[in-house]
Amino acid sequence: MPSSASSSGSRPADRSDEVDPDPRLRPTATVLLLVEAVMLLAAGSYFLVLATSGVGDPRFGLGLGAFLVLFAVLVALAARSLRARGRFGLGYGVTWQLFQALVAASMLRSGMVWQGALALLLAIATFVLLLNLVRSTPLPRQDG
C-alpha cells in the first residue's frame, strides 16, 4: 500500500528537496516584486512631498502616501520571502498582483494609458511567474 511518508517513515514527505521548474523563475519574480516595491515607494514619496508642500488636500496626500509606502514595504518583504523560498512571498505576491491588475484596469479607464498598461503588464508577468513557483516552494514543516 503506497504511503505519503518519506523514506524515513516517521514524518510526512515535504517538498524542500524539490527544485524550481526553471532556475531563473525565482530570481526574475523577486526582481519584478522589487521593481513594484520601488515604484510604490516612489509614488508614495511623491504624494507625501505634495502633501507637505501644501499642494492639494494634505490629509488625502498624507493618507495616500502612507498607504503606498506601507504596501511598498510589504511587497519588498514578499520579495525577500520569495528569495528565501518562503510561502509568504508567494501568497502575498499573488494577492498583490490581483489587486494591482484591478488598479491598473481602473487607470486605463481613467485615461492613464501608459501607467495603467505598465502596471497591468507587470502584474500579469509577475502573477504567471509566481504561480509557476507555487509547486516548488516547500510547505512549512509539521512536526508533532
Side-chain angles (χ1 to χ4, degrees):
M1 178 170 163
S3 171
S4 63
S6 66
S7 60
S8 66
S10 62
R11 66 172 213 252
D14 63 10
R15 295 191 278 179
S16 61
D17 59 339
E18 290 186 25
V19 296
D20 292 337
D22 181 351
R24 296 172 294 185
L25 287 179
R26 191 170 301 274
T28 305
T30 301
V31 166
L32 289 178
L33 280 175
L34 287 173
V35 166
E36 291 176 356
V38 168
M39 291 173 71
L40 285 166
L41 186 61
S45 300
Y46 174 75
F47 282 106
L48 290 172
V49 167
L50 284 181
T52 57
S53 67
V55 177
D57 182 14
R59 286 182 50 195
F60 176 75
L62 288 173
L64 184 58
F67 178 80
L68 291 172
V69 169
L70 171 68
F71 279 102
V73 170
L74 291 172
V75 171
L77 288 174
R80 182 181 181 276
S81 171
L82 184 64
R83 180 169 159 67
R85 298 183 61 85
R87 299 297 293 181
F88 170 75
L90 288 171
Y92 185 82
V94 166
T95 304
W96 177 257
Q97 300 319 308
L98 296 173
F99 179 70
Q100 181 173 317
L102 178 65
V103 170
S106 296
M107 292 169 74
L108 287 170
R109 279 192 61 167
S110 69
M112 299 174 70
V113 177
W114 73 267
Q115 297 94 335
L118 176 64
L120 187 59
L121 288 174
L122 193 56
I124 291 170
T126 308
F127 182 80
V128 169
L129 290 174
L130 291 173
L131 285 184
N132 284 328
L133 288 170
V134 167
R135 300 195 82 202
S136 64
T137 301
L139 294 170
R141 295 184 71 146
Q142 297 178 353
D143 294 332

